[in-house]
Amino acid sequence: MAEPGAVSDALAAPMLEFIAEAASPGRDGARRGCPGHGAEGLFSNGGYKELSSPGVGSRSRDTSAERNQPSGNPPCGIMKNSSKQRQVRKKTVSFSSMPSDRKMNSTAACMAFMLEGCEMKKVRSNSRMYNRYFLLDPDLRWLRWEPSKKDSEKAKLEIKSIKEVRLGKKTPVLRSNGLSDQFPDECAFSIIYGDNYESLDLVASTADVVSTWVMGLRYLVSYGRHTVGVVEPSQSSVRTSWIGSVFELADIERQGHIDLFRATQIIKGLNPGMRESRIELKFKELQKAKDCYGEGIDLDTFVEVYCELCTRPEIFFLLVQFSSNKEYLDSKDLMLFVEVEQGVEGVTEEMCREIVHKYEPSAEGRDRGYLSIDGFTHYLLSSECHIFDPQHKRVCQDMTQPLSHYYINSSHNASLLEDHYWGSSDISSYVRALRMGCRSLEVVVWDGPDCEPVVYVGSSVASQLAFSKVLDVINQYAFESSEYPLILCLVTHCSVPQQRVMAQHMKKILGDKLHTEHPSLDEHYLPSPEKLKGKILLKGKRLPPDTQDSEGEVTDEEEGLEMSRRMVSMDEKDQLNGIGYKRLRLCKELSDLVTLCKSVQFRDFESSKREQKYWEICSFNEVDANRFANEFPEDFVCYNKRFLSRVFPTPMRIDASNMNPQDFWKCGCQIVAMNYQTPGLMMDLNLGWFRQNGNCGYVLRPAIMREEVSYFSANARDSLPGVSAQLLHIKVISGQNLPKPRGSAAKGDVVEPYIYVEIHGIPADCAEQRTKTVSQNGDNPIFDESFEFQINLPELAVLRFVVLDDDYIGDEFIGQYTIPFECLQPGYRHVPLQSLTGEFLPNTTLFVHVAITNRRGGGKAHKRGLSVRKGRKAREYTSTKTTGIKVVDELFRASTQPLREATDLRENVQNAMVSFKELCGLTPAANMKQCILTVSSWLLNSERSLRVTVDLSEAYPTMEAQGPVPELLRKVLTAYDTMIQTSRTLIESADSVYCKLTQAQRAGLDFHEDLHRIGAKEGLKGRKLQKAMESYAWNITVLKGQADLLKHAKGEAVDTLRQIQCAAHSCGLAKNGASTSPASPLLPPHPRPHGPLHTIPETEPPDTEPSTPH
């Protein structure tokens, strides 16, 4: 399977041939009219190539960055237009949510749109909205709106008075109860202006209109403030110089123009994935508009087409947001982006210079340390900005736990190419499964000719595989992709003589890889994957240990019986729990090879608890497993803490369809056998899930499902005791090069994509949301939609993106990507898309923003559409349950106060942080670095001589202001102080409360062994005793979970202080230097005494809201 984004260098070959021809002796490569600019570099397939090097086109960079490389910004400059008249806009077949067919890919385009103006809704503080027409004055100094009851000279806002432009609902007015659900977050923005930081709150018709205004206003606020005029259109940018040099190198004859084919191939080479027909059409359209149709492509036309096609507006908008001069990112700009937005720790200017050198295509940009829009696009498309955390590409989990504590990647009927009845067996299927990380293979063995056992499934007798050949393949590929143990599930339908042949083949072919050490009676759990490295375990039937004969009789309850049930009469079966089991003879030689995975019949959970040995494994038909999951969810989870269980598909799935593995993972079932030959949602979930631990085939189960005494229900539909629920914020920004669904003939080449964002996990977490359909655009559709999901058990959650083509006949599949929640990287990320069969689609991606928090906006609880403020009495405290056993209940009752203290410590800090972030105009998903950066930008954009510093001389940094400050900034300082004080209380109090909780937990565990006897002694029996046991497990889980949450909260508080230190240094707000290094724990040497905890309100009182203009 190809790596994400891998493309062949052949895509760029035609263009590179032209470049190679152009790099001839005597040619200086200088651009006409641009002295000082020699031959530049060229980006192809994500890798930089020196155009003058002899090996051009012969090497490529990291394949995970080989993706579509759109880029760009046309010649810098803002065209002043004195006309305020609204132009009549022609319709276009190309979709754009802008009221024009032009593409907002430059500041000049934004200014032109703002000068022309558009209608938006102006939001008043009383939640009323008024339609107004907003436009920018020709002198670029004033923003005006009309009509208005005010005098025309008052219905305006001076650009230089703007302090900040906020995207989304980030003021109290837009977050107010009456408005929050009336329009999407992407369609709102606010202009913060004046010395009192008032807000002008606006709602546009589309997200594109918002992006245009925000981009243009931010440009004027930052760039325009220092230059009264604007950059002259004639001034050449780094980007246009580079594009010009590429054109000159292709213009071999120095004629000033190149042919259409050559121009098309150059742009396609720079942007693999872009359709040639689209490039040609754009050239022809522009030539026709210039009345030079059919002539050669000149430099101006080439630059214009390149900038039009290769500039992604959403990335240009991002560059404008972070760049200090709006044309490129220097090292400091890039450092802020990587550290603040991408969440990378320890970023240095040297690291950023390396990024520039690696991804910037122009020699001038690399020399000066500038990352242009092209370089920035290349960087965002590279493996460094992949959504998948690279730490999980290698084994990163504890592999020393018992084997029963892991999910194991498993295959069902691995030999089949298709379904059970018509599919043929093929040995390559085993190779494919093993290379995909499979660690449990099913091998169904039958009697074959010449006393040689054969492998086949169901009706595929015509395509039998020699058992010895299958073993040869398994021996060769068993540990190619993973060094951890492989489980062979033998389903034997052979006679005793051929069973002996099977045993001889396995000993001879597998040799030392075969695990033959019998389990120790002194142990209670299976060995770990680490201890079993390089070993092959056999799962199968085993004769009783006292068997003296060379063969004996066992029952065959395995799934192999299900396939041949019709051939066996009922009188040959035993009846056990209503299920028939065939009797078969088993030879001792084969039996002795089964060590740690002895197959046994499952009767019930109580019997297993009393009698089952840790090395015995039960197999469950999916129907039975589903019944146990629904009727006995807690028992099933407890059973799987110690024993392995294998779930196989019902034989009714004759089409080899797959069951949902999440239905059984939530019960702790380790081995869920999947039909690898059948692609689709279920297989996507399986393959995506097992990527998270280096694709080694083993994934450690959540702690709450492993601990001997813990409470977890597979059907939990709410938050879990002791598990911190997470909020996943996903913004789907755009798609790139979405192909027409395979085999689709409708609508020609037109694609109308939409995206489903799905969460798979425990029932409480399962959810899905979809974007709008983008009409007639598969090249770079803009979605700009945000979604929020609550994840109650993050360790078992999976995120899946599905892209579909909206069609009136039936929506068709374009691509998907599935990733475990634990592997998500925050920030702006590209998501590679896979085909239905799992191959990565070349240059096909989604662009998203990811943020993860443990808090909703403002901590507000929504009830019937209204925001409810939680008081202290309304705060939800996790409590223990009554067991009915007096001595146990007294112990747990004593832990009530520490539990409340732990909750107050955590909630107070969370509420204080949310208040601080919202006053900074940010969402709860923002990090502390973004908050400090926002405060710093306010100071830079202020006309007053404001000065705010962060004193780092103490362990708990204080934020101080010199002189009078505006009301909003004063509130920010107050909220900051509250946040620091609550963090300090948490840090200094956490250890003592943690000790109280862990002591209570340990004391409770002392009752574990005798709890059943003590309960019976107090008269509890039957359901009451079972309920007491469940309540006891719940209480132990709560105590451990709350202790762990408090410990984690303390770590987060320390990290917050460290972020403040780093951000204060980066933004120039630091005072007195840091008393400790940023990497060291910021803990005071002596905890100060503290009084009783007070509840911090979840939202600021109403009088703290910034004012709004009327």
Side-chain angles (χ1 to χ4, degrees), residues 369-391:
Y370 296 161
L371 196 65
S372 68
I373 180 65
D374 298 283
F376 191 40
T377 304
H378 298 151
Y379 168 64
L380 289 173
L381 280 163
S382 73
S383 58
E384 296 181 44
C385 293
H386 195 289
I387 193 172
F388 192 92
D389 187 342
Q391 292 185 359

Side-chain angles (χ1 to χ4, degrees), residues 445 453 467 471 490-507 514-515 518 538-543 550-551 554 584-595:
V445 192
F467 180 65
L471 289 180
L490 288 181
V491 181
T492 306
H493 298 288
C494 296
S495 60
V496 169
Q498 294 212 16
Q499 289 178 25
R500 293 195 177 97
V501 176
M502 285 175 60
Q504 292 165 7
H505 282 328
M506 285 188 284
K507 289 178 183 177
L514 196 62
H515 184 274
H518 290 283
L538 293 186
K539 171 191 170 294
K541 302 301 293 186
R542 183 181 167 90
L543 296 171
S550 60
E551 60 184 77
V554 294
L584 63 83
R585 303 291 296 178
L586 180 65
C587 79
K588 193 170 188 303
E589 193 174 354
L590 181 60
S591 168
D592 288 345
L593 296 181
V594 177
T595 55

Side-chain angles (χ1 to χ4, degrees), residues 1077-1099:
S1077 67
S1080 64
L1082 297 174
L1083 297 177
H1086 302 290
R1088 63 181 178 87
H1090 60 278
L1093 297 176
H1094 300 288
T1095 302
I1096 303 299
E1098 299 212 0
T1099 54

Side-chain angles (χ1 to χ4, degrees), residues 70-181:
S71 38
N73 182 15
C76 178
I78 300 170
M79 307 300 294
K80 294 185 179 181
N81 180 3
S82 60
S83 173
K84 292 185 183 178
Q85 296 180 352
R86 307 184 196 182
Q87 299 175 7
V88 177
R89 299 183 177 92
K90 60 184 179 181
K91 292 184 178 180
T92 172
V93 294
S94 299
F95 171 80
S96 172
S97 55
M98 295 296 298
S100 152
D101 61 346
R102 63 189 164 206
K103 190 176 182 181
M104 294 300 153
N105 56 12
S106 69
T107 49
C110 292
M111 294 302 147
F113 177 79
M114 292 162 65
L115 286 165
E116 183 180 336
C118 73
E119 191 174 89
M120 293 187 285
K121 295 182 185 296
K122 183 170 176 282
V123 186
R124 298 277 293 274
S125 58
N126 59 7
S127 298
R128 292 186 178 180
M129 294 191 288
Y130 302 88
N131 288 327
R132 298 287 184 263
Y133 194 84
F134 288 81
L135 70 165
L136 186 66
D137 256 9
D139 61 5
L140 308 181
R141 294 176 182 272
W142 297 90
L143 172 65
R144 298 181 181 273
W145 56 92
E146 54 191 35
S148 173
K149 294 179 181 179
K150 297 180 180 179
D151 182 270
S152 60
E153 287 304 306
K154 292 184 179 180
K156 65 180 182 178
L157 185 64
E158 192 172 10
I159 297 298
K160 71 177 183 179
S161 71
I162 297 176
K163 311 298 183 188
E164 182 189 0
V165 184
R166 296 180 184 175
L167 182 62
K169 305 173 190 175
K170 293 178 183 173
T171 63
V173 171
L174 293 178
R175 283 196 297 261
S176 64
N177 302 335
L179 292 174
S180 59
D181 298 326

Side-chain angles (χ1 to χ4, degrees), residues 1097-1108:
E1098 299 212 0
T1099 54
E1100 290 291 317
D1103 62 351
T1104 64
E1105 298 181 353
S1107 55
T1108 307

